[in-house]
Amino acid sequence: MRRAARFVLVLLAVLALVTVAAWWVLARTTKAWWESDLAMRSKLAVNSARVGLTRGWPDDRATVGRALEDITRDSRILGAAACLPDGELLAATSDYPLGFTCALVAEHAGRAGGRGFTMAPEDSLHLTATPLEGEGGVLGTVVLVHDLGYVDQRDAATRQVLFGGFFVLALAAAVATLLAARFAWKGWTLELQRALLGEASTEFQPMVRDVRALVDRLVNEREGEARGGPWDPARLKATLTRHLQGERVVVLANREPYIHERGEGGVKVVHPASGLVTALEPVMRACSGTWVAHGSGSADRDTVDAKDRVRVPPGEESYLLRRVWLTEEEEAGYYYGFSNEGLWPLCHVAHARPVFRSSDWETYVAVNRRFAGAVCEEVDSDEPIVLVQDYHFALAPRMIRERLPRATILTFWHIPWPNAERFGICPWRDELLSGLLGSSIIGFHTQQHCNNFIDAVDAFMESRIDREARAVVQQGRKTLVRPYPISIEWPVRWLHDVPGVAECRKAIRGELGLGADALLGVGIDRLDYTKGVEERLAAVDELLARFPEFRGRFTFIQLAAPSRMKITRYRELNERVEQLAAEINARWGTPGWRPVVLLRDHHEPQTVFRYYRAADLCYVSSLHDGMNLVAKEFVAARDDEQGVLLLSQFTGAARDLTEALVVNPYDLRQASDALAAALRMSPEEQRERMRAMRRLVSEFNVYRWAGRMLVDAAELRRRERLTGRLTPLSPLTGVS
Ligand code: G6P
C-alpha cells in the first residue's frame, strides 16, 4: 500500500505538471489569437467609418471627430484617434488617452507588425493602428483603444476549468490506484494463503518453501525460548554446558572489569565507565573462565600473581582476570593512536577526522599479536571458545586462529561499522578485514552494521559472500556475520545496594539544594564527542528559552566521566562542555537555582543508579552510538515504572526502545519540545511507556545476547566438524 501511495504522489505530480504546461500553451495561443482578431476587427470598424473619415480628412476635424465617435459606439472600443502621416494628431474622441501620442503609437505599432499591442501592460488596454486608405494612397492612421478586460475574465474562467479538471482527474486517479492496489494485495494474499495450504499451485509456488521454513524457524525459536524460561546466569551456564561441553570461555577486551588504583586510603577497586564492561562482566560471572585485558590501574601489578592473574570479582571470585602490561609508547600508539584517533572517529559519524599514523598502526599490530599470544596462553584446549571484543582487536581473531585453527572465535564489534566508502579511507582496511575474518562469527548491534561490513568485504576482499547464510566464505572457511543487539544484566546487581526511588529522589534533591518538587533531568556519559553532550546542554538552554514555565523549576544534572584525556579532541570537549554549562547558568540561573549541574568525575555504578532513580527524565543524545547501555540502565533502574527516556535516533537502542521519546539531538527545537513533553507527561503515560521498555530489556538481556551467540557458535562448530572444514588459514597479509 505504501508503494501505491508513492505511485499516487508521482501521478499527481505528473498531472500537475501537465496541467501547468497546458495552461501555459493555452494562454500564449489565446493571446496571439486575440491580438490578430483585434487587428481584423479594427480594420472592419475603420472600413465602416471610412466615408465619414475620408470626407473630413485632413481639414474638417469636426467631421473626422464625429466619424471617430461613431466607431466608439462599440462598447469594447474605448477611444479612437486619427493621426496624420507626419505624426500630428488630427482628431480624437473625448475618452482617448492623450498620453498615447501619435508618435508613440507609431513606434509601438511598427514593433507589433500589424497586430494589436499594449502601451500600458499593467491595465487591460490594447491598441490597434489601422492605416486609412484614400484614393491617392494612405491618408494616415486610425488608432483604436480596445478594452480587453473580458479577455482576462475568459482567461481566468479557462484557468478555473483547467485546474478544476485537474483536481477531479487527480482525485479519480488516486482513488482508482489505491483501490487497484488494495484489490491486488488482497488477491495476492489469498493466492499465497492457498499456495501455503496446498490448495492450489500458483505462481507463488517457489516462495512457499521459503515462507514455510521461516515460519518453522520462528515457531521453533519461540517454543525453545518458552521452554528454556527467562534468560539468566543459570540458563547461560546451562547453554554453555549443553552446546559447548562447558568449555572455558576466554574473553579478550582492552578494558579490564576491575581496576586496582592506589589512593590515599590504600588500594581501591574502580569499576570503569564502559558499556563493554557493563555488558560482559555479568556474562563472565555466569560462564567463568578468563578475561584478558590491559592492566591499566596504578596498583594492578601489586594485585596479580606470578602469571599476571587475579581472581575477580573481589569478594565473590568466580573468574580470572589476566593482565597484559603495555609500555607508555605501546599505549600511545595502540590505544590512544590507532584505536581512538583512527578507528573510533572512522566508525562514528560525529564529525571528527580520523588520524592514521604508520607508527600507530605498527604498534597496533604488535600489541594485537601480544594480546593474541596471551589468549593462547590462557586456553586449556585446542578448541577453546574465545570472545574477542571491539575495535582494539581487529587483528587478533586471525592471529589466534593461526595458532589455534580449531578455536571458536566470536568477535563482537561494540561500535558502529561505517559504510564501505567511509571504511575504505583507512590505509589498512584490507588488513583489518582480513584480521576480523579469522573469526567464526562477527557480531554487530544492528543489521545495518552487518550490511556495511559485508559491503566492505565485498568491495575490498577476495571472498565469496553467502547472503543466504549471512556469511563470508574465504578459502572454504565460513565467517557468520550476525546482529546481536547487546543489553544489560537483569536484574542489575548494583540495585541491591541502592535505596528505592522515593529515597533517592529525596536524597539527591537534598544534596543539590533543590526543593522536594524540583524537576530533575539526568545525563550520564563518558565525556566523548560522540555522546552529544554539547547538543544536550544546548537543548536544555532552548527549553528554558522557549518554555518559561520551567525556569527555576527544572535542573539538568550531567555526570561526565573524563575519558581518553591524552587526546586533544577530548581535552577540548571537556573545556567546551564546562564553558557551555557556565554560559547557560549565567543566562538563566538565579541566586537560588542553577539550571545545569555538571559533575565532571568518575562515578561508581551505585552513584549512577541513585541518579537514575532520582530523575524525572534521562536524556541520551548520542550523535552516533552502536547501542548505548545508559538508556537500558535507566529503564532497569525504574522499578517504580516512572521517568521518561529521551533517546537519540542515532543509537542502536532506539531500535529496541521504541517507547522512549526518540529525537534527533541536532534538532534543538524538537529536542526541547521532547524535554517539555517529558516534564509534562502524565504518570499513567510514563507507566505505560516504562512498563513496555522494562518488559523488553528484562527479556532481551545480556544473558540472552551471549546465549544466542554461543548457540550459533555451537551450531557452526557442529557443522564444521561434520563437514571437516576446519582448515588452517593462510597467514595475515602485511601483518608480520
Ligand atoms: C566504548 C567502547 C568500549 C570502551 C568504552 C570505554 O563503549 O566500545 O570498548 O571500553 O567505550 O572507553 P575506554 O577507552 O575508556 O575503554
Side-chain angles (χ1 to χ4, degrees):
M1 280 315 270
R2 207 180 286 167
R3 240 189 231 176
R6 223 179 293 148
F7 176 74
V8 167
L9 280 182
V10 173
L11 192 71
L12 293 185
V14 171
L15 270 176
L17 271 177
V18 170
T19 310
V20 170
W23 175 71
W24 185 78
V25 171
L26 213 68
R28 282 189 71 97
T29 326
T30 36
K31 187 168 176 267
W33 186 70
W34 282 114
E35 280 166 353
S36 51
D37 182 55
L38 272 190
M40 208 172 70
R41 284 206 286 123
S42 303
K43 223 179 252 172
L44 276 176
V46 172
N47 270 346
S48 59
R50 198 156 173 276
V51 178
L53 287 168
T54 47
R55 193 183 316 135
W57 204 282
D59 306 318
D60 186 355
R61 288 173 186 250
T63 307
V64 173
R66 272 196 302 279
L68 291 177
E69 294 290 355
D70 280 347
I71 293 178
T72 58
R73 280 212 188 101
D74 179 340
S75 62
R76 291 179 196 167
I77 299 176
L78 297 177
C83 295
L84 292 170
D86 61 1
E88 196 197 324
L89 180 71
L90 176 61
T93 58
S94 54
D95 290 336
Y96 183 78
L98 289 173
F100 297 169
T101 62
C102 288
L104 253 181
V105 170
E107 205 183 304
H108 277 83
R111 281 205 292 271
R115 288 164 166 251
F117 54 91
T118 49
M119 299 270 289
E122 64 280 5
D123 54 36
S124 51
L125 296 185
H126 266 62
L127 280 83
T128 47
T130 313
L132 179 69
E133 307 273 346
E135 273 166 17
V138 176
L139 300 176
T141 313
V142 177
V143 182
L144 300 182
V145 181
H146 305 261
D147 176 11
L148 281 198
Y150 68 99
V151 175
D152 289 344
Q153 280 165 16
R154 281 188 198 175
D155 212 26
T158 318
R159 212 169 10 193
Q160 266 175 14
V161 169
L162 212 65
F163 285 116
F166 159 74
F167 183 72
V168 172
L169 212 65
L171 201 71
V175 171
T177 312
L178 290 175
L179 280 179
R182 182 161 277 268
F183 283 129
W185 174 254
K186 217 171 169 186
W188 191 88
T189 320
L190 277 175
E191 211 164 318
L192 183 62
Q193 269 171 4
R194 284 173 56 217
L196 279 170
L197 293 171
E199 288 172 4
S201 155
T202 70
E203 59 189 291
F204 293 108
Q205 217 56 42
M207 275 175 62
V208 167
R209 210 176 51 124
D210 292 349
V211 174
R212 284 215 183 102
L214 182 67
V215 170
D216 284 351
R217 214 184 74 209
L218 290 176
V219 168
N220 284 344
E221 264 177 24
R222 196 156 275 254
E223 282 176 354
E225 286 298 318
R227 266 201 309 276
W231 277 97
D232 58 12
R235 182 164 172 203
L236 180 60
K237 185 126 197 132
T239 303
L240 196 63
T241 314
R242 195 169 65 240
H243 293 278
L244 292 155
Q245 289 77 48
E247 301 272 10
R248 261 163 45 87
V249 171
V250 178
V251 164
L252 170 60
N254 173 70
R255 187 56 67 202
E256 54 183 342
Y258 298 96
I259 307 176
H260 288 96
E261 290 285 1
R262 203 170 297 113
E264 279 170 13
V267 173
K268 64 170 182 179
V269 176
V270 175
H271 302 90
S274 157
L276 179 153
V277 171
T278 304
L280 255 288
E281 211 277 336
V283 172
M284 277 309 277
R285 280 174 185 248
C287 297
S288 66
T290 306
W291 182 312
V292 180
H294 169 214
S296 58
S298 54
D300 273 359
R301 281 178 196 265
D302 307 341
T303 43
V304 292
D305 63 15
K307 290 188 167 169
D308 297 328
R309 295 173 180 155
V310 54
R311 292 197 74 78
V312 287
E316 307 164 52
E317 290 75 10
S318 60
Y319 67 96
L320 281 175
L321 171 58
R322 159 77 192 272
R323 286 173 171 152
V324 174
W325 315 112
L326 297 178
T327 63
E328 251 183 56
E329 292 72 38
E330 282 174 329
E331 205 182 342
Y334 141 81
Y335 172 75
Y336 288 109
F338 193 71
S339 297
N340 285 316
E341 283 192 282
L343 289 179
W344 181 268
L346 176 73
C347 293
H348 289 92
V349 181
H351 325 295
R353 177 181 277 197
V355 180
F356 297 116
R357 301 180 197 93
S358 303
S359 56
D360 289 349
W361 167 249
E362 277 154 26
T363 317
Y364 183 81
V365 176
V367 171
N368 264 249
R369 196 166 286 291
R370 208 126 76 68
F371 274 96
V375 167
C376 295
E377 282 164 24
E378 295 302 325
V379 301
D380 54 7
S381 83
D382 67 341
E383 282 184 298
I385 299 159
V386 183
L387 308 186
V388 178
Q389 303 300 309
D390 232 353
Y391 58 101
H392 310 89
F393 296 119
L395 306 178
R398 183 168 287 258
M399 291 169 169
I400 297 168
R401 167 111 23 239
E402 280 165 7
R403 293 177 56 175
L404 297 167
R406 300 177 70 82
T408 296
I409 304 173
L410 310 183
T411 300
F412 193 78
W413 196 262
H414 289 254
I415 62 176
W417 187 276
N419 64 35
E421 197 182 354
R422 191 177 166 94
F423 179 72
I425 66 169
C426 177
W428 299 284
R429 64 188 188 198
D430 297 2
E431 288 85 343
L432 291 170
L433 290 173
S434 173
L436 286 168
L437 288 175
S439 318
S440 316
I441 302 183
I442 303 178
F444 296 93
H445 293 297
T446 67
Q447 185 60 49
Q448 179 66 54
H449 300 155
C450 295
N451 296 349
N452 288 350
F453 177 79
I454 289 183
D455 289 348
V457 172
D458 205 9
F460 307 123
M461 301 299 287
E462 277 205 18
S463 59
R464 185 167 69 78
I465 310 287
D466 182 343
R467 297 206 182 257
E468 205 183 339
R470 294 180 291 159
V472 177
V473 185
Q474 256 196 336
Q475 294 156 15
R477 265 207 72 261
K478 201 176 253 185
T479 299
L480 305 184
V481 182
R482 298 276 158 87
Y484 300 101
I486 209 166
S487 194
I488 55 171
E489 63 180 331
W490 189 281
V492 177
R493 69 181 180 287
W494 303 110
L495 285 171
H496 299 150
D497 305 329
V498 176
V501 169
E503 210 176 310
C504 289
R505 283 183 74 88
K506 194 162 167 239
I508 297 278
R509 279 168 181 70
E511 286 160 27
L512 295 172
L514 302 171
D517 59 347
L519 297 168
L520 195 67
V522 71
I524 310 231
D525 306 85
R526 270 185 316 108
L527 251 184
D528 192 297
Y529 53 85
T530 60
K531 302 293 180 189
V533 179
E534 289 164 278
E535 285 73 9
R536 191 179 310 165
L537 296 186
V540 171
D541 192 24
E542 186 83 358
L543 171 86
L544 298 173
R546 294 182 55 223
F547 301 93
E549 64 190 275
F550 297 117
R551 294 182 201 158
R553 289 180 61 210
F554 175 62
T555 300
F556 190 82
I557 176 150
Q558 175 67 48
L559 270 62
S563 172
R564 306 174 191 168
M565 287 293 273
K566 287 194 182 155
I567 299 173
T568 317
R569 186 81 158 77
Y570 285 79
R571 283 200 302 276
E572 286 169 358
L573 175 73
N574 272 260
E575 278 163 29
R576 279 206 304 272
V577 167
E578 189 94 39
Q579 198 181 337
L580 189 56
E583 277 168 23
I584 298 172
N585 285 339
R587 187 154 38 250
W588 305 110
T590 56
W593 169 68
R594 262 186 314 160
V596 176
V597 177
L598 179 64
L599 299 181
R600 222 155 42 76
D601 209 346
H602 172 78
H603 294 91
E604 281 293 298
Q606 289 96 333
T607 313
V608 169
F609 276 93
R610 284 179 75 225
Y611 279 98
Y612 285 141
R613 285 198 157 164
D616 295 293
L617 66 88
C618 174
Y619 184 14
V620 173
S621 56
S622 304
L623 306 182
H624 201 190
D625 218 327
M627 174 55 68
N628 192 290
L629 294 183
V630 165
K632 294 190 176 177
E633 284 183 335
F634 176 64
V635 169
R638 300 314 294 258
D639 46 12
D640 62 332
E641 296 179 340
Q642 292 294 294
V644 184
L645 176 64
L646 266 78
L647 184 55
S648 158
Q649 68 188 79
F650 308 119
T651 59
R655 285 158 204 256
D656 294 346
L657 302 177
T658 45
E659 287 78 12
L661 299 184
V662 177
V663 296
N664 172 352
Y666 292 102
D667 184 344
L668 298 184
R669 207 179 165 83
Q670 189 199 52
S672 56
D673 278 342
L675 281 169
L679 294 171
R680 289 171 183 156
M681 194 181 285
S682 69
E684 293 72 36
E685 188 176 345
Q686 292 186 37
R687 177 160 300 113
E688 218 170 286
R689 288 174 183 267
M690 189 52 88
R691 193 174 282 172
M693 291 192 284
R694 283 175 65 79
R695 206 177 306 126
L696 185 122
V697 180
S698 65
E699 192 181 331
F700 292 81
N701 58 34
V702 78
Y703 303 112
R704 188 179 200 274
W705 170 80
R708 296 197 71 91
M709 267 203 302
L710 291 175
V711 169
D712 285 352
E715 171 73 2
L716 183 74
R717 195 140 109 157
R718 201 176 52 78
R719 283 197 195 168
E720 283 184 337
R721 278 198 188 128
L722 282 177
T723 54
R725 272 210 191 132
L726 285 172
T727 49
L729 281 181
S730 61
L732 191 58
T733 47
V735 182
S736 51

